[in-house]
Amino acid sequence: MTENTGARYGGAPGSRGRTTIADVVVEKIAGMAARDVRGVYALGSGFARSVGSMRERMPGAGSGKSATRGVSVEVGEKQAAIDLEIVVDYGVSITDVAGEVRENVISAVERMAGREVVEVNIMVSDVKLPDEEEEGEGRQRVQ
């Protein structure tokens, strides 16, 4: 019995055709991987989170938190570059958190999207202090 290597039909079945991965897919993977790291309070700047929080409360504006807030990517056929804007919890080592975020994001994107991650740039835009109110938790001014 001979093994069918796909040569008769133009190559192995897994290599016939092309797979394209949209930037938003890599953004979501990177965003979720970054959020999984202990010490990451949120992604995105304070302004972006505020606008997103307001948008989430509007009927028909989408469901839940935006998985891509604070994430931007450039995706090629074989490689990806990722920029993240994060807010860290007060008291954590920012350099340790950034290193863990890089490792988690690179691992997730390379495993799930099959793209070599050439860089993960992290901008820490804020620190969540223990006594700060959560977004939307403050007393409403108008009832």
Side-chain angles (χ1 to χ4, degrees):
M1 177 161 232
T2 61
E3 183 178 321
N4 183 0
T5 61
R8 179 175 167 187
Y9 300 103
S15 66
R16 292 185 212 161
R18 184 175 148 176
T19 302
T20 304
I21 298 175
D23 289 6
V24 71
V25 172
V26 176
E27 286 175 350
K28 287 181 179 183
I29 293 168
M32 294 302 293
R35 283 180 180 85
D36 283 346
V37 174
R38 180 182 213 92
V40 174
Y41 173 73
L43 269 64
S45 67
F47 178 73
R49 289 192 328 270
S50 296
V51 169
S53 176
M54 289 179 359
R55 188 180 320 124
E56 289 166 8
R57 291 187 201 123
M58 294 174 59
S63 60
K65 294 181 179 179
S66 171
T68 61
R69 185 180 309 137
V71 183
S72 66
V73 300
E74 290 180 40
V75 181
E77 287 186 31
K78 297 181 181 183
Q79 296 179 324
I82 301 164
D83 295 325
L84 299 169
E85 185 173 355
I86 67 172
V87 177
V88 297
D89 290 319
Y90 177 79
V92 300
S93 166
I94 293 173
T95 54
D96 289 350
V97 170
E100 289 180 41
V101 166
R102 273 191 190 90
E103 288 179 26
N104 214 30
V105 167
I106 289 169
S107 174
V109 170
E110 289 183 348
R111 180 177 47 83
M112 294 176 70
R115 301 296 185 266
E116 175 193 8
V117 178
V118 293
E119 65 182 11
V120 176
N121 299 309
I122 299 172
M123 203 277 264
V124 179
S125 62
D126 203 356
V127 173
K128 166 65 171 80
L129 300 176
D131 60 345
E132 289 179 333
E133 290 182 1
E134 299 287 326
E135 288 177 18
E137 266 190 17
R139 214 180 71 201
Q140 290 184 354
R141 213 172 127 186
V142 178
Q143 293 186 10

